[in-house]
């Protein structure tokens, strides 16, 4: 045996002899074969490998050989495979091109003797050379690619498998065109349909199917959408068939199957011999999923808990029979080996199916649910139900296959919440000729819950338990339990509680995530309330229990989570317990508020550990909101005491934490204190808190700065701080400085929200702010209106609040700024996101109500009114149109410079009525009635603004439109008389973190009927017009008033006294 140095020299010598052959003659063929055998005989990797010499060897061999030299081409293929896969080296571009040209010439389906070696070499080249020429790709996977010609029965199944592996390597490592991808997936589907009918070798068939599945798994994420949709039915049909591959041989009718054990020695030798090249190609590649990471030897030895020898399961198909290696013959060992391979086929088919379904999307997958999931219980023996995914999840003997099946179910239910909204699990009382789709969905939900819970009871293997719990978590998140009657949540809780103390950390974490999904997905659920009202680990039988002594006993979920708070040795479990408590106080605070103090004590103790501070602060944030919402029940003294404790220790500690995220969340916690609690703190504590927030608002980190500025935006709205003008001035300076931040949009977004809050309370301050502060606020608001949409939506709201609060003196002192602000407001009304335009219309309404603004700046106000009159009919969003029409109701006469402008407003409102029936999005239909009603209100308001000089121009525009107006007014009055509810708009703004676009369809208080409201307005506005005429009514005015009054047909709607107006006119 030679030393390493000699071996390297020998390799170089052999390589040198090969490159020295300049002309290949027939007599030297044996010599070249001997040299190639020698260079392939070295144990790679070779230490003294020379890349330049290796390239020269490949180039020289490719020049010497022809496509007919089968033996030499096979030796050359081995050389390429050794260098690429074992030496892990790449060839030069010149060597690669020469090699590929030679391989393509020799690669024909008829040349079956060497084709496997050549395909292995091509696959190896694909791994290290991604810049292939287009002609090579066309020759391999083009419209007439050579890889597509290897099909049974013309080629052996082994050759087809090697060709599929080569295709997999090309697709994985080289950029492939969409057309080539389409042809490749069509070819694979045809192979999967044809191959099983042309082979009797079960082992070769399993290997072939696994190769096809591996290739499909790589292809599916990169498939063009149209190709995936075109091949989806065939793809699902093939995968569904192979998901149940050889499942009938597993003793599903009650016969126990033998345990899967390690194969005998001669089986291992056969596997090693036949699979040597496959192992080389697959070495270094990534595992397909997280539950395929275990090696085959682990599975063979039965290291999985549920596959231990002698262990039996409660399901018929998963019984295990105790035996030993000595009791098994070679035939039995071979049978076990085949069962393992068949299970791998099912596993990889499920993995491939999960990948396909994930790419399709929830809506597309929804149409195929009934093909994979049952909607009725299994029939009694001897009848056998067709297999489904649940069959695999419960009965497959290989745990990895069960995991894969459960993963497919999880994928099916992901994002299915809106699609399951129609589910109904109630059994019909009468026989039906057909089964409604809602009942089919209800049956699927019922069977999935029942069988997965049965599997959860029987499962012992921790990885499969985790997958089952993850699947149940996804199902819980998406199912509409509020309209189902099966008590599913109660059963899920019972099983999750049973295994929550599992020794595996992953299982415990999965249980806690399931609890978090139950508490966070559907609020409120009677089953969850019953569980929370019970101090035991099982839910109470009824949720109709009084909140008396039951609330004094701590719920099991709180006790369990508090017990985990101190588990510093298991950080994931502790984090999930904190998440559960956070969701619990967020969604069910009305049931658990009495336990705030207990949880608070544990949180303060746990915050000494810096690892969990961020999650604990999020929990404290929800506790703070709970204290503010239930202060009357908890007691103001206790709330003040808890906050005083936080301000003394934990919060200052967190504000000095090295983690920026912890400091940001600590500021969010401060924002939940509430006005009443802040007022009850002693003065030093209050000043300390305000000083900390003001200091943090100047922090260099954007996250900390934005959180501090948002907290200031909450504080400036507290009435207890209105008299603290110094704090208001400091806050305004910090907010203005944050709005001017150029490099971070998050800071500007939070700052403009706080700016809007500050401008909203200016009229409530006992002492006005200095004029210089108003100018700064005006400049910041105007600048924000020209920023990004997220900033703009808050900036325009601030601008509207500011314009509404300014008196005549302030307006004159900010003359140039006011005009710029109104133009910026008109710009926001005319374009941007729906939220921005809605807020801009809201701001315009506030501004137009300021009489000083309309009289001092009529030209600038006219621009805003013109924008509103355009938005009211052209915006696609009906909520924005409704808000614009509400703003038009605030227009004053001084904002309308001429009769022509008033006539244009009338025409715009009538056009808006006509456009209200044109829907581009059906979701806008629910806002249609409120829009029409508000537009009628605008018409009435405009009549009230009309004077005698306007009548000629207005009647010229409006008279031809009277039939249209009569139609819509009649429709509105009819709707009002049938519902007797007038829908008015409100000026609410959304939440405290970011202002949401609030739904404007809210019912009015309703002692005054809606008909009275509109008809009284009609009388008021027509009377106003008479007053404006000064007793000199022209014929045009008489005609206009008569026609407009008749539009309301007032006698028909129960107001005959208003018709007395007509004689006054005529």
């Amino acid at each position: 045996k030679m030393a390493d140095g000699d071996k390297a020299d020998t390799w170089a010598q052999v390589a040198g002899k090969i490159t020295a052959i300049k002309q290949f003659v027939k007599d030297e063929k044996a010599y070249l074969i001997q040299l190639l055998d020698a260079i392939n005989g070295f144990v790679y990797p070779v230490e003294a490998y020379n890349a330049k010499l290796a390239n020269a060897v490949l180039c020289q061999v490719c020049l010497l050989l022809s496509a007919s030299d089968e033996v030499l081409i096979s030796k050359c293929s081995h050389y390429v495979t050794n260098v690429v896969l074992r030496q892990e080296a790449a060839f030069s571009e010149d060597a690669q091109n020469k090699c590929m040209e030679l391989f393509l010439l020799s690669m024909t389906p008829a040349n079956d003797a060497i084709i496997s070696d050549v395909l292995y070499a091509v696959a190896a080249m694909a791994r290290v050379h991604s810049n292939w020429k287009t002609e090579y790709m066309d020759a391999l996977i083009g419209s007439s690619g050579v890889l597509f010609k290897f099909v049974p029965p013309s080629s052996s199944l082994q050759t087809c498998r090697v060709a599929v592996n080569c295709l997999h390597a090309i697709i994985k490592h080289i950029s492939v065109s969409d057309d080539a991808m389409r042809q490749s997936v069509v070819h694979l589907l045809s192979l999967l349909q044809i191959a099983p009918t042309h082979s009797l070798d079960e082992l070769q068939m399993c290997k072939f199917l696994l190769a096809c599945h591996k290739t499909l798994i790589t292809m599916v994420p990169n498939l063009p959408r149209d190709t995936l949709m075109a091949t989806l039915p065939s793809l699902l049909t093939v995968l569904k068939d192979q998901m149940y591959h050889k499942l009938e041989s597993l003793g599903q009718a009650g016969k126990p199957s033998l345990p899967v054990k390690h194969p005998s020695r001669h089986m291992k030798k056969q596997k090693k011999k036949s699979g040597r090249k496959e192992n080389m190609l697959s070495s270094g590649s990534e595992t397909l999923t997280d539950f395929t990471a275990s090696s085959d030897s682990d599975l063979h030895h039965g290291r999985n808990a549920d596959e231990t020898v002698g262990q039996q399961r409660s399901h018929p198909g998963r019984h295990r029979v105790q035996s030993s290696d000595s009791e098994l013959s070679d035939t039995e060992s071979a049978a076990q080996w085949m069962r393992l391979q068949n299970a791998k086929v099912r596993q990889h088919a499920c993995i491939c199916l999960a990948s396909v379904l994930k790419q399709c999307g929830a809506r597309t997958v929804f149409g195929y649910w009934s093909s994979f999931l049952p909607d009725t219980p299994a029939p009694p023996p001897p009848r056998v139900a067709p297999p489904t995914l649940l069959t695999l999840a419960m009965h497959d003997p290989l745990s990895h296959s069960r995991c894969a099946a459960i993963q497919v179910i999880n994928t099916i239910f992901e994002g299915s919440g809106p699609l399951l909204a129609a589910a109904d699990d109630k059994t019909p009382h009468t026989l039906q000729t057909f089964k409604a789709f809602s009942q089919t969905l209800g049956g699927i939900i019922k069977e999935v819950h029942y069988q997965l819970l049965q599997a959860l009871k029987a499962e012992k293997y921790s990885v499969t338990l985790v997958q089952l719990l993850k699947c149940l978590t996804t199902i819980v998140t998406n199912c509409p339990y509020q309209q189902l009657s099966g008590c599913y949540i109660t059963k899920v809780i019972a099983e999750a509680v049973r295994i929550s103390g599992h020794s595996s950390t992953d299982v415990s974490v999965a249980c806690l995530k399931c609890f978090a999904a139950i508490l966070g997905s559907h609020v409120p659920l009677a089953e969850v309330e019953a569980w929370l009202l019970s101090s035991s680990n099982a839910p109470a039988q009824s949720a109709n229990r009084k909140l008396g002594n039951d609330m004094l006993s701590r719920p099991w979920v709180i006790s369990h989570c508090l017990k985990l708070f101190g588990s510093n040795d298991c950080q994931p479990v502790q984090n999930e317990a904190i998440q559960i408590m956070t969701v619990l106080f967020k969604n069910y605070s009305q049931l658990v508020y009495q336990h705030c103090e207990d949880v608070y004590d544990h949180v303060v103790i746990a915050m000494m550990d810096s690892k969990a501070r961020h999650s604990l602060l999020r929990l404290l944030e929800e506790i703070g909101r709970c204290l503010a919402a239930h202060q009357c029940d908890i007691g103001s003294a206790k709330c003040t005491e808890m906050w005083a404790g936080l301000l003394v220790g934990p919060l200052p500690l967190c504000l000095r934490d090295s983690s920026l995220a912890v400091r940001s969340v600590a500021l969010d916690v401060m924002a939940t204190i509430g006005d009443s609690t802040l007022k009850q703190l002693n003065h030093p504590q209050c000043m300390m808190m305000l000083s900390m927030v003001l200091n943090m608002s100047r922090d260099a980190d954007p996250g900390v700065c934005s959180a501090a500025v948002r907290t200031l935006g909450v504080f400036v709205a507290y009435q207890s701080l209105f008299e603290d003008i110094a704090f208001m001035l400091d806050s305004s300076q910090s907010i203005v400085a944050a709005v001017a931040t150029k490099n971070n949009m998050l800071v500007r977004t939070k700052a403009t929200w706080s700016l809007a809050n500050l401008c909203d309370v200016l009229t409530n301050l006992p002492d006005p702010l200095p004029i210089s502060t108003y100018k700064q606020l005006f400049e910041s608001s105007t600048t924000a209106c020209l920023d990004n949409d997220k900033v703009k939506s808050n900036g325009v709201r601030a601008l509207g609040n500011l314009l509404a609060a300014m008196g005549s003196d302030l307006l004159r002192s900010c003359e140039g700024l006011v005009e710029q602000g109104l133009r910026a407001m008109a710009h926001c009304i005319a374009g941007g996101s729906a939220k921005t335009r809605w807020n801009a219309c809201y701001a315009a309404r506030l501004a137009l109500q300021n009489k000083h603004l309309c009289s001092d700046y009529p030209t600038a106000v006219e621009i805003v009114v013109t924008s509103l009159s355009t938005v009211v009919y052209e915006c696609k969003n009906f909520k924005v149109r409704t808000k614009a029409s509400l703003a038009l109701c605030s227009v004053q006469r001084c904002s309308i410079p001429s009769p022509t402008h008033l006539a244009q407003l009338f025409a715009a409102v009538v056009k808006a009525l006509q456009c209200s029936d044109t829907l581009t999005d059906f979701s806008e239909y629910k806002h249609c009635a409120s829009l029409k009603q508000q537009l009628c209100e605008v018409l009435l308001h405009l009549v009230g603004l009309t004077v005698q000089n306007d009548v000629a121009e207005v009647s010229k525009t409006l008279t031809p439109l009277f039939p249209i107006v009569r139609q819509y007014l009649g429709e509105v009055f009819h709707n009002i008389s049938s519902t007797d509810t007038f829908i008015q708009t409100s000026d609410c703004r959304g939440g405290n973190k970011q202002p949401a676009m609030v739904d404007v369809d809210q019912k009015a208080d309703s002692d005054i009927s809606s008909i009275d409201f509109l008809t009284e307005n009609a009388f008021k506005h027509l009377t106003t017009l008479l007053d404006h005429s000064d007793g000199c009514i022209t014929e045009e005015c008489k005609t206009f008033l008569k026609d407009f009054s008749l539009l309301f047909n007032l006698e028909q709607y129960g107001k005959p006294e208003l018709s007395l107006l007509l004689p006054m006119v005529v």
Side-chain angles (χ1 to χ4, degrees):
K1 193 172 181 179
M2 293 179 290
D4 289 343
D6 297 336
K7 189 183 298 184
D9 292 339
T10 305
W11 183 91
Q13 290 175 2
V14 173
K17 291 178 181 179
I18 294 175
T19 56
I21 302 176
K22 300 301 181 184
Q23 186 176 4
F24 182 64
V25 294
K26 201 168 186 179
D27 296 339
E28 294 181 347
K29 181 176 181 178
Y31 178 58
L32 185 56
I33 291 175
Q34 180 183 3
L35 290 176
L36 288 174
D37 284 339
I39 204 167
N40 287 327
F42 289 101
V43 178
Y44 288 85
V46 177
E47 291 184 4
Y49 173 81
N50 188 316
K52 184 176 181 180
L53 193 55
N55 288 323
V57 168
L58 185 58
C59 290
Q60 189 64 24
V61 170
C62 292
L63 288 175
L64 294 174
L65 301 185
S66 64
S68 59
D69 296 326
E70 295 182 356
V71 177
L72 289 171
I73 288 177
S74 178
K75 305 292 184 185
C76 180
S77 302
H78 293 163
Y79 171 70
V80 171
T81 305
N82 285 330
V83 171
V84 172
L85 298 181
R86 293 180 175 173
Q87 188 67 39
E88 297 181 353
F91 291 105
S92 64
E93 186 176 354
D94 182 48
Q96 171 203 350
N97 292 336
K98 291 179 180 179
C99 177
M100 288 299 299
E101 290 172 2
L102 175 65
F103 286 163
L104 289 173
L105 289 175
S106 62
M107 196 185 302
T108 59
N111 199 4
D112 206 38
I114 65 165
I115 193 64
S116 294
D117 294 333
V118 174
L119 289 172
Y120 278 125
V122 172
M125 293 287 280
R127 291 187 60 182
V128 294
H129 296 283
S130 58
N131 54 341
W132 282 17
K133 291 184 177 180
T134 306
E135 52 264 32
Y136 299 159
M137 298 295 291
D138 292 341
L140 288 169
I141 55 174
S143 56
S144 57
V146 66
L147 291 182
F148 299 154
K149 297 179 181 178
F150 297 103
V151 294
S154 58
S155 299
S156 67
L157 200 61
Q158 182 177 0
T159 302
C160 294
R161 173 172 57 84
V162 178
V164 170
N165 283 332
C166 183
L167 177 64
H168 172 258
I170 293 173
I171 290 173
K172 184 175 182 179
H173 299 287
I174 300 176
S175 179
V176 179
S177 65
D178 291 348
D179 187 57
M181 292 288 282
R182 182 187 61 79
Q183 295 178 18
S184 299
V185 73
V186 170
H187 171 66
L188 282 175
L189 288 176
S190 91
L191 279 179
L192 288 170
Q193 291 170 344
I194 295 173
T197 63
H198 291 88
S199 176
L200 298 177
D201 189 337
E202 190 175 352
L203 181 60
Q204 287 297 328
M205 177 56 64
C206 288
K207 291 182 177 181
F208 170 76
L209 293 176
L210 288 172
C212 290
H213 294 158
K214 180 175 64 173
T215 307
L216 280 173
I217 291 169
T218 303
M219 290 178 64
V220 166
N222 302 314
L223 274 179
R225 179 75 180 178
D226 55 346
T227 301
L228 181 61
M229 292 297 103
T231 58
L232 184 61
S234 301
L235 195 56
L236 294 181
T237 301
V238 169
L239 292 176
K240 180 182 177 183
D241 180 59
Q242 286 161 16
M243 279 194 321
Y244 314 124
H245 179 74
K246 301 294 182 182
L247 193 63
E248 66 278 359
S249 64
L250 296 177
Q252 292 301 314
K255 297 180 180 179
S257 56
L258 292 174
V260 179
K261 297 188 70 66
H262 191 69
S264 61
R265 182 173 299 177
H266 75 276
M267 285 292 295
K268 286 198 293 182
K269 290 182 179 179
Q270 290 179 5
K271 179 191 174 189
K272 185 175 180 180
K273 183 176 180 180
S274 63
R276 180 184 52 158
K277 294 177 181 177
E278 294 95 316
N279 292 337
M280 287 167 52
L281 276 178
S282 61
S283 63
S285 63
E286 297 81 13
T287 54
L288 296 175
T289 59
D290 57 348
F291 49 79
T292 57
S294 301
S295 64
D296 289 343
S297 60
D298 293 341
L299 300 176
H300 300 160
H301 285 298
R303 289 174 62 180
N304 298 339
D306 62 330
E307 292 169 4
T308 306
V309 176
Q311 184 176 355
Q312 295 191 1
R313 310 300 299 268
S314 61
H315 296 287
R318 282 154 64 183
H319 289 316
R320 300 290 180 263
V321 177
Q322 185 173 1
S323 59
S324 63
D325 287 334
S326 60
E327 295 171 349
L328 296 175
S329 64
D330 290 344
T331 304
E332 291 171 334
S333 182
Q336 293 169 18
W337 172 250
M338 281 312 307
R339 281 197 291 273
L340 176 62
Q341 297 305 307
N342 290 328
K344 284 186 176 181
V345 171
R346 296 192 296 273
Q347 173 195 351
H348 284 76
C350 288
I351 296 172
C352 188
L353 178 61
S355 179
V356 171
L357 297 180
K358 190 171 293 186
Q359 293 299 315
C360 291
R363 290 190 176 275
T364 304
V365 174
F366 193 58
Y368 297 94
W369 275 34
S370 57
S371 300
F372 297 99
L373 298 172
D375 60 347
T376 56
R383 295 171 57 194
V384 179
T388 63
L389 283 169
L390 294 171
T391 309
L392 290 178
M394 295 183 68
H395 298 293
D396 199 298
L398 186 68
S399 61
H400 286 31
S401 297
R402 297 197 297 276
C403 285
I406 296 166
Q407 190 186 43
V408 177
I409 300 173
N410 185 71
T411 304
I412 287 175
F413 275 90
E414 281 180 350
S416 62
L419 306 174
L420 289 174
D424 180 13
D425 64 340
K426 299 179 181 65
T427 305
H429 297 291
T430 58
L431 294 176
Q432 296 179 341
T433 56
F434 71 97
K435 189 172 185 179
F437 185 62
S438 60
Q439 293 175 354
T440 300
L441 289 180
I444 290 176
I445 291 174
K446 183 176 182 179
E447 285 304 306
V448 167
H449 277 84
Y450 173 75
Q451 297 198 39
L452 287 182
L453 289 173
Q454 290 297 315
L456 198 62
K457 289 179 181 178
E459 190 61 59
K460 304 298 180 185
Y461 180 37
S462 61
V463 174
T464 314
L465 280 174
V466 170
Q467 291 296 324
L468 280 167
L469 288 166
K470 284 183 179 179
C471 185
L472 283 171
T473 301
T474 303
I475 294 171
V476 165
T477 304
N478 291 281
C479 281
Y481 292 108
Q482 62 274 13
Q483 62 193 50
L484 301 176
S485 59
C487 297
Y488 304 108
I489 287 290
T490 301
K491 298 170 185 176
V492 173
I493 290 174
E495 285 304 312
V497 168
R498 182 182 62 84
I499 59 175
S500 59
H502 197 278
S503 58
S504 170
T505 301
D506 293 337
V507 175
S508 299
V509 170
C511 286
L512 294 174
K513 287 184 176 179
C514 187
F515 291 143
I518 291 170
L519 293 169
S521 298
H522 309 279
V523 181
L525 281 179
E527 295 177 75
V528 179
E529 291 179 351
W531 179 41
L532 295 177
L533 292 174
S534 173
S535 58
S536 63
N537 58 6
Q541 296 298 319
S542 174
N544 300 322
R545 301 174 60 178
K546 296 181 180 179
L547 300 179
N549 295 330
D550 294 322
M551 286 301 297
L552 300 179
S553 58
R554 187 192 293 170
W556 176 87
V557 65
I558 294 182
S559 301
H560 182 64
C561 291
L562 292 181
K563 192 185 304 180
L564 299 174
F565 270 24
S567 57
N568 296 329
D569 55 332
C570 190
Q571 194 67 31
V573 173
Q574 184 185 20
N575 288 337
E576 289 303 325
I578 297 170
Q579 293 298 326
I580 289 177
M581 298 299 296
T582 304
V583 175
L584 179 62
F585 277 95
K586 180 179 180 180
N587 296 332
Y588 290 92
S589 62
Q590 73 278 8
L591 296 178
V592 296
Y593 66 84
Q594 291 194 4
H595 305 286
C596 277
E597 187 175 7
D598 196 6
V599 177
Y600 165 84
D601 294 336
H602 284 77
V603 170
V604 171
I605 295 172
M607 283 183 69
M608 296 300 105
D609 182 10
S610 60
K611 294 180 181 177
R613 271 185 194 161
H614 185 275
S615 301
L616 289 167
L617 283 169
R618 286 297 181 198
L619 174 55
L620 271 180
E621 185 179 1
E622 295 304 328
I623 292 176
R625 291 195 177 98
C626 181
L627 291 174
H630 301 279
Q631 186 173 7
C632 296
D633 300 315
I634 298 173
S636 58
K638 186 177 292 186
C639 293
T640 305
E641 180 184 352
M642 292 169 65
W643 271 105
L646 284 176
L647 293 173
V648 169
L651 284 181
L653 179 66
C654 292
L655 289 175
R656 295 191 298 269
D657 196 279
S658 58
S659 171
L660 299 174
V662 169
R663 290 155 62 188
S664 300
V665 181
L667 290 163
D668 291 337
V669 173
M670 287 185 173
T672 65
I673 187 171
D675 188 17
S676 58
T677 304
L678 182 65
K679 184 165 51 177
Q680 293 178 11
L681 289 176
N682 59 53
H683 186 71
Q685 288 178 331
C686 183
M687 289 299 100
M688 180 188 70
M689 186 175 189
L690 299 180
S691 300
M692 286 191 296
V693 176
L694 286 169
N695 289 334
M696 300 300 279
S697 67
R698 293 184 284 272
D699 196 279
D701 178 71
V704 176
C705 178
S706 61
V709 170
R710 179 193 161 271
T711 304
L712 287 177
V714 175
F715 285 174
V716 295
Y718 288 168
Q719 292 184 3
S720 60
L721 296 175
F722 284 175
E723 296 181 358
D724 192 346
I725 298 300
F727 170 72
M728 288 294 179
L729 287 174
D730 291 341
S731 298
S732 64
Q733 295 298 324
S734 297
I735 292 171
V736 167
V739 173
T741 303
K742 296 182 179 180
N743 299 326
N744 194 281
M745 192 177 69
L746 176 64
V747 175
R748 297 200 305 275
T749 303
K750 297 294 180 68
T752 49
W753 180 81
S754 299
L755 179 65
N757 283 6
L758 176 61
C759 295
D760 198 15
V761 302
L762 290 176
T763 56
N764 299 325
L765 299 181
D767 298 319
L769 298 178
I771 295 178
S772 58
T773 302
Y774 274 97
K775 289 183 178 181
Q776 290 177 343
L777 296 177
F778 226 119
E779 290 174 354
S780 298
S781 301
T782 305
T783 304
C785 290
L786 306 176
D787 205 325
N788 183 277
D789 257 341
K790 293 182 179 180
V791 179
K792 190 187 299 184
S793 61
N794 294 316
V796 73
R797 186 166 68 91
L799 190 59
N801 290 329
L802 198 59
L803 288 170
M806 296 178 73
S808 179
D809 295 337
L810 278 174
L811 288 171
R812 282 194 293 270
S813 62
C814 303
E815 182 175 354
L817 295 174
V818 171
E819 292 181 352
Q820 292 178 10
L822 288 172
R823 288 190 176 88
M825 183 183 292
H827 174 74
C828 293
I829 293 172
S833 65
K835 180 178 178 179
T836 297
R837 301 179 81 175
W838 190 94
N839 281 346
C841 293
Y842 165 80
R845 185 191 180 195
L846 295 179
L848 292 174
Q849 289 173 350
N850 189 337
K851 296 180 180 179
H852 302 292
L853 178 67
C854 297
S855 58
D856 293 347
Y857 298 93
T859 305
V861 170
E862 181 190 346
I863 298 174
V864 175
V865 174
T866 303
S867 297
L868 289 171
S869 64
T870 304
V871 169
V872 82
Y873 64 81
E874 65 86 23
C875 184
K876 294 180 180 179
N877 190 291
F878 276 27
K879 293 170 74 174
V880 174
R881 288 197 206 181
T882 306
K883 201 64 182 177
S885 61
L886 187 63
L888 286 175
C889 287
S890 300
V891 174
Q892 301 181 34
R893 188 62 185 84
C894 58
S895 304
I896 303 175
S898 67
T900 303
H901 287 82
L902 182 60
Q904 290 172 353
L905 282 177
F906 271 109
V909 174
V910 176
K911 184 177 180 180
L913 279 170
Q914 290 177 285
C915 295
S916 62
D917 288 327
T918 304
L919 294 174
T920 57
D921 185 358
F922 184 74
S923 63
E924 301 293 340
Y925 178 76
K926 59 185 177 182
H927 309 301
C928 188
S930 61
L931 173 61
K932 291 178 181 178
Q933 203 157 288
Q934 190 60 53
L935 288 170
C936 291
E937 174 99 7
V938 177
L939 278 176
L940 295 172
H941 178 71
L942 293 178
V943 172
L945 298 180
T946 305
V947 296
Q948 184 176 358
N949 294 336
D950 301 326
V951 170
E953 190 69 31
V954 170
S955 60
K956 187 189 304 181
T957 302
L958 200 56
T959 300
L961 301 175
F962 272 143
I964 299 172
V965 178
R966 181 180 292 109
Q967 171 193 342
Y968 284 100
L969 281 173
E971 179 184 339
V972 169
F973 272 111
H974 176 74
N975 292 338
I976 292 174
S977 62
S978 61
T979 60
D980 200 30
T981 303
F982 179 60
I983 301 174
Q984 296 190 38
T985 54
S986 67
D987 296 333
C988 298
R989 294 186 296 277
N992 59 354
K993 283 197 174 181
Q994 288 297 336
M997 188 172 66
V998 179
D999 192 349
V1000 295
D1001 299 334
Q1002 298 183 4
K1003 293 183 178 179
D1005 298 331
S1006 55
D1007 290 340
I1008 302 176
S1009 78
S1010 52
I1011 296 179
D1012 287 344
F1013 185 85
L1014 277 182
T1015 51
E1016 291 291 351
N1017 273 284
F1019 182 78
K1020 179 184 69 176
H1021 293 319
L1022 292 175
T1023 305
T1024 302
L1025 182 56
L1026 286 176
D1027 293 340
H1028 288 171
S1029 65
D1030 297 328
C1032 302
I1033 303 177
T1034 63
E1035 291 300 323
E1036 287 179 333
C1037 185
K1038 291 178 182 180
T1039 305
F1040 172 72
L1041 290 175
K1042 180 179 178 181
D1043 290 343
F1044 201 92
S1045 301
L1046 288 173
L1047 287 177
F1048 292 94
N1049 200 1
L1050 299 174
E1051 292 183 358
Q1052 175 183 346
Y1053 294 105
K1055 283 289 179 181
E1057 66 275 10
L1058 295 185
S1059 62
L1060 296 175
L1061 189 66
L1062 296 181
M1064 293 171 58
V1065 175
V1066 180

